[in-house]
Amino acid sequence: MNEFMQGLQMLMDPQIILYIFIGLLVGLFIGAVPGLNDTNILTLFLTIVPFMEPFPAVMLMTSLFVASQTGGSIPAILVNIPGTPSTAASTFEGFPLTRKGLGAQALGCSFGSSLLGTCGGGILALIFAPIIGRYALVFGPPEMFMLALFGMTCVAALAGKSVKRGLLSAVLGLLVGTIGVDYFIGISRSTFGIINLYSGVPDIPLLLGLFGVGELYNMVMRNAVVDNKSAREEAAKRTSISGQLEGFRAAFKNVGTMVMSTVIGFVIGVIPGTGATIASYTCYGMARTKSKEPEKFGTGHYDGLVATDTANNSCVPGSIVTALTLGIPGSGTTVLFLSALLMHNFVPGPTFFSQHLVEANCIFIIVVIIGIFASLFGIFAAKYLVKVVTLPTYILGTAIAEFCLTGSFICANKITDIYIMVFFSLISIFMRKFGYSMPAFLLGIILGPIIEPNFWRALAITNNNYSIFFTRPICIFLWILIVVTLLVPRFMEARQKKIAKNSQQAKEAEILADAEEN
Amino acid sequence: MKKKADYSELAFLGAILAYEVYYAFTLRGVNYKASLWPFILMGLTSIIMIFVAADVIRTAKNAKAEETSGEQEALPSQTGLKAFIKKNQKVIVIFVALLLYAILIDYLGYIICNFIFALGISYYLGRNIKKAVLVAIVVTVAFWLGFDVALGVRFPKLYWPF
């Protein structure tokens, strides 16, 4: 408790508050720009960090890291372009809400979910960090394989109207995920001789092509973002704060989903090599499984948006826990975060919490503070942000196209990435036309590189003993979750059909009885 | 709902099949650890595609039966390449513009390419040259300031061989 109070005291320094504020604003802005993400901005700030004092440098990097997750949902909701790869799932419910003229409400809901996700994750990290870090290493290749397999059960939630086409999209996504140099033998698979594809399809051009340019095509055909004139007029009217607050309150009506997504997102964040994308997809699938209105998912349902945005924000404190307690960076962003710490002699590892307990507490307090201020700032900024959807097509379309082109180029400074983006935009045209699920396709691409190598690694460490997938405790737990996720919706559906049939029969019997009496 | 007989999805499935044949061909003789998972996925894809293709053919046959039964009004003919291009003209133009951008950026440089692209697209979508020039200037300057100046990203410059 003493260290906690000391940490709070250190944060009251005006210089620290200034750096936190800078990190908040820059992180929100960068997260909101498609093509830029937390990795870009942390790389840039690494050039400044060595010249700063240790404590302010760490606070600045933490603020940037956390705020960029909140900002990434903004373009995902308003124009169907994920600001960061981890916010791709926010497009499933956020953008349909915008098309109905409820963009302000969707943003408010997103900020409310981000608030609880970040604060909840930060509090969980404060309480459990010293303990959880130890158990992160329990997740070996068999557990990672099972976790990815569990993630694939979300396909049922993402398949859309046609289950066959949804399944085909997911399997195609898994196939596209195999593109690149193989993990064990080192041969290149389906790279067409393009060096850019050797490490797999780059995720930013892929996302910008599928969602960004794909949505641009849709928009120019419709000549608007929002579907019809009355919804556009409604969107233009509801730019006052009341729209955002309505969405904010709607988020808190789904407290069960919020709490579930916070915990699951945090736990997935703790596991190295997973990330917020998997967390948001998994929570979306689970929210749909437990929902009483699963048929409304994909049409603009607050519950789905709450699940994705809470999970991708609570994942960040989880990944920070593993980075600090074990010194294992779970993603490119945490590598940069750890680099900033190492530059100032904060050595992450098992002794971090004993040697730097005050600083560790400060990091997680910052997470909570940024969560609150990023969401509040977003609520007030949303009034202006939502006007983007009412811009004429010739302005918005040009801006979106430029963002997609520039964003594709800057991730690796290669023109080949622009070609990759254009190619996937072509794929998205046909997928949308014929009703194939792009979220399921994206899920396959994300999980494919986790499923295959971890499967072979698990067999390699057990001398080709397949029983490892059925005997490890976490694997057994994940098998149970997979069975529950697949069977519960069928059971609920069958039960509802039976109830409907019984009530129909009861009504018919009543009518017959009335007729006989008369 | 009035539906036309539409077999175009079969062409999309055919393209996927062609890609699978190419992929399978490149994996001939490769160690099973590198090829097993892709072959499993290709097998699954092929099986699911059969069901999807059957679905497409069934739907198209039902639509054709409705058209020829005389119960509904015959739809005006909208088949053929010309009709397809007319219907999707905007998408085709933007797609070609994006490709041209990728081809020309190495020669014209980022700023000129951005300006020409923004001018072309905003004029095509807005049909007002003054507004298009204004949008092109604002977008080009904003991107140059934001990415090149502020973030220090290195973009291709105008190719000048002398």
Side-chain angles (χ1 to χ4, degrees), chain A residues 76-278:
Chain A
I77 288 166
L78 292 180
V79 288
N80 205 32
I81 306 175
T84 58
S86 55
T87 53
S90 304
T91 59
F92 304 162
E93 304 298 337
F95 188 63
L97 280 167
T98 300
R99 286 182 63 176
K100 287 184 199 173
L102 299 172
Q105 287 82 339
L107 283 177
C109 180
S110 169
F111 293 132
S113 312
S114 300
L115 171 68
L116 190 79
T118 317
C119 295
I123 292 167
L124 284 172
L126 269 168
I127 300 168
F128 294 112
I131 312 161
I132 283 177
R134 248 177 277 150
Y135 291 98
L137 285 179
V138 169
F139 261 79
E143 287 79 13
M144 290 296 291
F145 170 76
M146 288 307 306
L147 186 66
L149 213 59
F150 172 62
M152 286 307 295
T153 57
C154 297
V155 168
L158 303 170
K161 287 180 189 161
S162 169
V163 175
K164 288 190 266 284
R165 286 172 175 81
L167 272 175
L168 183 58
S169 302
V171 179
L172 270 177
L174 287 170
L175 190 62
V176 169
T178 63
I179 292 175
V181 172
D182 156 71
Y183 312 97
F184 293 96
I185 313 299
I187 60 126
S188 67
R189 298 185 298 197
S190 187
T191 57
F192 302 95
I194 300 169
I195 295 173
N196 270 39
L197 293 178
Y198 275 28
S199 50
V201 178
D203 53 359
I204 304 274
L206 170 76
L207 277 174
L208 290 175
L210 283 180
F211 289 92
V213 182
E215 189 49 42
L216 173 65
Y217 294 145
N218 248 11
M219 196 176 73
V220 299
M221 293 298 280
R222 286 198 315 267
N223 212 30
V225 172
V226 184
D227 274 339
N228 58 55
K229 196 180 170 194
S230 58
R232 281 199 293 278
E233 284 165 1
E234 185 62 28
K237 266 193 272 179
R238 299 298 296 275
T239 51
S240 69
I241 211 100
S242 62
Q244 288 88 286
L245 291 176
E246 190 185 314
F248 200 85
R249 279 192 295 272
F252 283 90
K253 283 182 187 161
N254 297 287
V255 172
T257 304
M258 269 187 166
V259 171
M260 174 194 78
S261 301
T262 302
V263 172
I264 293 174
F266 177 76
V267 169
I268 290 179
V270 167
I271 303 163
T274 47
T277 316
I278 295 172

Side-chain angles (χ1 to χ4, degrees), chain A residues 30 33-34 36 41 44 162 164-165 167-168 171-172 174-176 178-180 182 184-185 187-193 213 216-218 220-221 223 393-395 397-399 401-403 405-407 409-410 413 415 418-419 421-423 425-427 429-431 433-434 436 448 451-452 455-456 460 464, chain B residues 6 8-9 12-13 16 19-20 22-23 26-27 30-38 41-42 44-45 48-49 51-52 55-56 58 84 87-91 94-95 98-99 101-103 105-106 110 113-115 117-119 121-123 125-126 131-132 135 139-140 143 147 150-156:
Chain A
I30 293 299
V33 173
L36 292 178
I41 198 60
L44 281 169
S162 169
K164 288 190 266 284
R165 286 172 175 81
L167 272 175
L168 183 58
V171 179
L172 270 177
L174 287 170
L175 190 62
V176 169
T178 63
I179 292 175
D182 156 71
F184 293 96
I185 313 299
I187 60 126
S188 67
R189 298 185 298 197
S190 187
T191 57
F192 302 95
V213 182
L216 173 65
Y217 294 145
N218 248 11
V220 299
M221 293 298 280
N223 212 30
T393 316
Y394 70 91
I395 297 176
T398 309
E402 291 284 358
F403 268 119
L405 288 165
T406 307
F409 179 79
I410 62 174
N413 266 53
I415 293 168
I418 301 180
Y419 286 110
M421 181 206 71
V422 175
F423 175 74
S425 75
L426 187 64
I427 301 280
I429 296 173
F430 293 112
M431 289 184 78
K433 180 177 160 60
F434 299 126
Y436 289 85
I451 291 176
E452 190 196 2
F455 177 76
W456 292 118
N464 292 335
Chain B
D6 188 5
S8 52
E9 192 175 344
F12 179 60
L13 294 174
I16 297 172
Y19 170 68
E20 283 186 355
Y22 162 78
Y23 198 167
T26 60
L27 288 177
V30 164
N31 186 292
Y32 78 98
K33 275 194 176 169
S35 59
L36 181 62
W37 180 238
L41 293 174
M42 282 189 262
L44 277 174
T45 315
I48 301 172
M49 276 204 301
F51 287 101
V52 173
D55 205 28
V56 170
R58 199 180 328 120
F84 174 81
K87 193 181 166 191
N88 299 290
Q89 190 180 354
K90 286 182 176 175
V91 170
I94 292 178
F95 176 75
L98 290 168
L99 265 182
Y101 181 100
I103 294 166
I105 189 172
D106 237 353
Y110 178 70
C113 226
N114 251 20
F115 179 78
F117 179 82
L119 178 67
I121 291 292
S122 51
Y123 177 70
L125 296 175
K131 286 181 180 173
V135 167
V139 164
T140 307
F143 275 76
F147 289 95
L151 296 175
V153 180
R154 288 181 169 273
F155 287 108

